[in-house]
Amino acid sequence: MASGSQNQPDQSLSGILQLAVENTVQSDEPVEREEMTEEKKEFLRNVFNDLHCDEAKEMKKTVDNIKPLLGSSHENDTLVKASLLEHLQDLCQTIDNASGKLHIKSNWSHAKTFLGFF
């Protein structure tokens, strides 16, 4: 009796690479590659720069924006502080997710109380 696992494709990296090679259409025609224009290079540079976010700098900027509002109890300032804290929390989650952590270790209710937001 044949084992069911023998019919399963190899899902290791080398197995996936082998599957890709076996299923790639071969062409006798040479592939022409052109040098990218400066405009296209600049476009790609801008796209990659826009995708990159230095979370540490962004967190510092967010904290710096919160500090002047700490003593204020004005309703609009409270909304701004809440928004900035949510942004800070999102940055922390991004860092935690990038680190491979499965859950977020944060206690924002204590932080908000400590900072006098709510």
Side-chain angles (χ1 to χ4, degrees):
M1 183 171 167
S3 172
S5 64
Q6 290 176 348
N7 295 333
Q8 296 290 333
D10 183 7
Q11 293 189 2
S12 67
L13 184 57
S14 60
I16 292 171
L17 180 59
Q18 181 65 34
L19 180 68
V21 169
E22 290 171 357
N23 291 293
T24 299
V25 176
Q26 298 294 327
S27 174
D28 292 334
E29 298 176 26
V31 176
E32 291 186 33
R33 290 188 170 86
E34 298 177 10
E35 184 71 26
M36 265 202 284
T37 64
E38 276 304 313
E39 183 180 352
K40 288 182 182 180
K41 287 179 186 179
E42 183 64 26
F43 171 78
L44 287 175
R45 261 188 235 109
N46 289 336
V47 168
F48 287 122
N49 287 338
D50 288 347
L51 291 175
H52 174 71
C53 174
D54 186 344
E55 282 84 5
K57 286 182 183 178
E58 187 68 25
M59 289 174 85
K60 182 170 177 12
K61 187 173 92 175
T62 303
V63 169
D64 289 343
N65 288 335
I66 291 174
K67 284 180 182 180
L69 303 174
L70 286 178
S72 174
S73 61
H74 190 270
E75 183 179 347
N76 189 42
D77 290 344
T78 302
L79 294 173
V80 171
K81 289 185 279 189
S83 175
L84 289 169
L85 279 175
E86 287 176 14
H87 181 60
L88 195 57
Q89 183 178 16
D90 290 342
L91 290 168
C92 290
Q93 288 175 343
T94 300
I95 292 170
D96 286 345
N97 289 338
S99 298
K101 295 189 168 107
L102 297 176
H103 63 284
I104 308 305
K105 293 180 181 177
S106 63
N107 196 340
W108 287 102
S109 62
H110 291 292
K112 289 176 186 176
T113 302
F114 174 75
L115 293 172
F117 291 119
F118 301 100

